[in-house]
Every structure is written in structure tokens, then in C-alpha cells.
Amino acid sequence: MSMFRETQQEKRAIRALKKAFSNMYTKEEQEEIGFYVDEMDDKTYTWTYETDKEVVKLIYSYERKTIDKRVTRRK
């Protein structure tokens, strides 16, 4: 059993990020994305995905309850 318990705020963020991710990529594309990092602080919850073409950051704001998407294309 995990000693870490997610707060309601974090659970809401994770649900929103999962939904945004599934809306952005097809099932096949989701399977190809092999790496993601999650970061938290007191204002945001961030997921960072790396594909062969881009690095995508999905940033959930606890205050605004919105998701910002930042994409960096690979050359």
C-alpha cells in the first residue's frame, strides 16, 4: 500500500490531464509515446511527454482549473 495519498486537487488534475492526453493522440500514438514525467508544485501539475517529433507539456493550473499546452518541435 502506498504511503502517498493524492489530494482531491491532484486527483482532479490527473483526470483532466488524462482526458486532454487521450483527446490529443490516437490510441496508436499513445502507445508510441514511451516517456513522460510528472511534476507538481503548489500551483500546477505538469505532465511532459516526449515523442520523436516533439516535446509536449500539459500544465494544469489548480487555481484556474485549466490546462495549458506547450509544444516544442524537434528538428
Side-chain angles (χ1 to χ4, degrees):
M1 186 163 150
S2 174
M3 302 221 10
F4 175 74
R5 290 182 65 87
E6 295 167 339
T7 65
Q8 285 300 108
Q9 181 171 272
E10 290 165 347
K11 287 180 183 178
R12 186 178 300 119
I14 291 168
R15 278 194 307 269
L17 291 168
K18 282 182 181 177
K19 184 174 182 178
F21 179 71
S22 66
N23 288 338
M24 285 172 41
Y25 298 103
T26 65
K27 290 277 186 204
E28 293 79 23
E29 290 170 328
Q30 289 176 33
E31 291 172 5
E32 290 176 13
I33 297 173
F35 177 78
Y36 89 88
V37 175
D38 60 338
E39 303 168 40
M40 289 180 281
D41 60 31
D42 58 341
K43 295 183 181 180
T44 62
Y45 199 119
T46 304
W47 279 4
T48 305
Y49 296 92
E50 292 189 10
T51 68
D52 56 343
K53 297 178 184 175
E54 60 192 11
V55 177
V56 178
K57 282 187 181 266
L58 295 178
I59 305 162
Y60 180 87
S61 168
Y62 294 137
E63 274 183 30
R64 295 179 295 152
K65 295 181 177 68
T66 59
I67 295 175
D68 293 326
K69 177 181 169 185
R70 296 192 186 137
V71 178
T72 305
R73 303 263 183 225
R74 294 182 189 264
K75 292 183 180 186

